[in-house]
Amino acid sequence: MTKQIALITGASRGLGRSMALHLAKRGVVIIGTYRSAAAEADTLRQEIEALGGKAAMIALDVSNSASFPAFAETVAETLTRFGRQQFDFLVNNAGHGLYALLTDTTEEQFDSLIDTHLRGPVFLTQKLLPLIADGGRILNVSSGFVRVTMAGYGLYAAAKAAIQTLTKFMAVELGARQIRVNTIAPGAIATDFGGGVVRDDANVNAYVAGTIALGRVGEPDDIGGAVAAILSDDMGWANGTTFDISGGQAI
Ligand code: NDP
C-alpha cells in the first residue's frame, strides 16, 4: 500500500518534532524542515528510521520566500526518492515567538513576525500546492494568544490571528480539490519557544499551569498526538476550522 507523506516545517525541535514522531508511528513518511538545527533534524530522521519509518530533512527558512521555488524543487526530488510525485499533508508549523511591547516594537521585528507567520505559510503553501495530492490536508499552526491577551505578544498574536482567518478562505478555495485546511491553536507548551520560559522558569510554569483546567502546562506530545489525530481520515469532515488544544487554558 502507498504510504502517506507529511511535510512538516520546523520539525527539528518542539511541536514539529513531536508531530513528526506521532505521524511516523502511524506509518506516515516524514519530510521535515529545519532552519539551523541540522544535527537535531538528523537525530529525528534516525529516530524515525529506528521506528521502521522513512524520513528526509531539508533546510528551509520560512521567512525567506525567495527560497521557496528551490525548496519546492528539492521536495519534488525527495518525493521521487520515496516513489511518489506528491505528498498528502502540509503542516505550516515553523516559527518563533517575540515579546515586544507596542511602544518598543521595531519595524524589523514586525517584518520578522509577519514574514515567518503569515507571508511564509501563504507563499510556501502556494508554491507547494502542485505537489499536494488531491484529497490532502493542510494544517496551519496558530496560537492561544489569539484568544487570550498578554502584554508584549500583540504582533505575534495578530499574525497568528491572520492565519486562522486565512485558513477558512484556503478551505473554500481548495475544496474543489478535496483538500481540507484547518488550524490548531495550542495553549502554552513546554518547548524552546520564547526562550523556553514556560518549561524552564518554575514560577512561570506554575503560574501558567494555574490557568489551565487540567492543572499543568502542555508537553510537545500533547500537540503531536492531536495533530496525528486531526490529520487522520476520521477527522475528514473537519474543514476551515480552528482547534483549540490547550488543556482548557483560560476558559
Ligand atoms: P521551538 O522553538 O521549539 O521550535 C521552532 C521550530 O521552528 C524549530 O524547528 C525551528 O528550526 C523552526 N523555525 C523557527 N523559525 C524558523 C524560520 N524562520 N524558518 C524555518 N524554521 C524556523 O518552538 P515550538 O515548537 O514551540 O513552536 C512551533 C510553532 O508552534 C510555532 O509556530 C509557534 O509559534 C507555535 N506555538 C507554540 C506554542 C508554545 O507554547 N510552544 C503555543 C502556540 C503556538 P531550528 O530548530 O532549525 O531553529
Side-chain angles (χ1 to χ4, degrees), residues 211-226:
T211 68
I212 296 175
L214 294 178
R216 63 168 176 84
V217 304
E219 295 295 331
D221 281 346
D222 293 318
I223 302 300

Side-chain angles (χ1 to χ4, degrees), residues 12-13 15 35-37 60-62 93 142 156 160 189 191:
S12 46
R13 293 183 286 116
L15 308 188
R35 179 186 47 176
S36 53
L60 172 71
D61 180 350
V62 293
N93 163 72
S142 180
Y156 169 78
K160 291 296 200 185
I189 315 292
T191 68

Side-chain angles (χ1 to χ4, degrees), residues 65 68 118-128:
S65 55
F68 294 170
L118 186 57
R119 177 190 288 266
V122 168
F123 291 103
L124 186 64
T125 302
Q126 184 193 65
K127 287 288 174 304
L128 293 177

Side-chain angles (χ1 to χ4, degrees), residues 185-229:
I189 315 292
T191 68
D192 294 337
F193 182 84
V197 68
V198 169
R199 181 191 55 209
D200 301 334
D201 184 317
N203 290 329
V204 173
N205 186 292
Y207 169 76
V208 174
T211 68
I212 296 175
L214 294 178
R216 63 168 176 84
V217 304
E219 295 295 331
D221 281 346
D222 293 318
I223 302 300
V227 165

Side-chain angles (χ1 to χ4, degrees), residues 126-147:
Q126 184 193 65
K127 287 288 174 304
L128 293 177
L129 265 175
L131 296 178
I132 299 177
D134 287 357
R137 314 236 194 293
I138 297 171
L139 188 64
N140 296 314
V141 176
S142 180
S143 166
F145 276 134
V146 174
R147 187 172 55 80

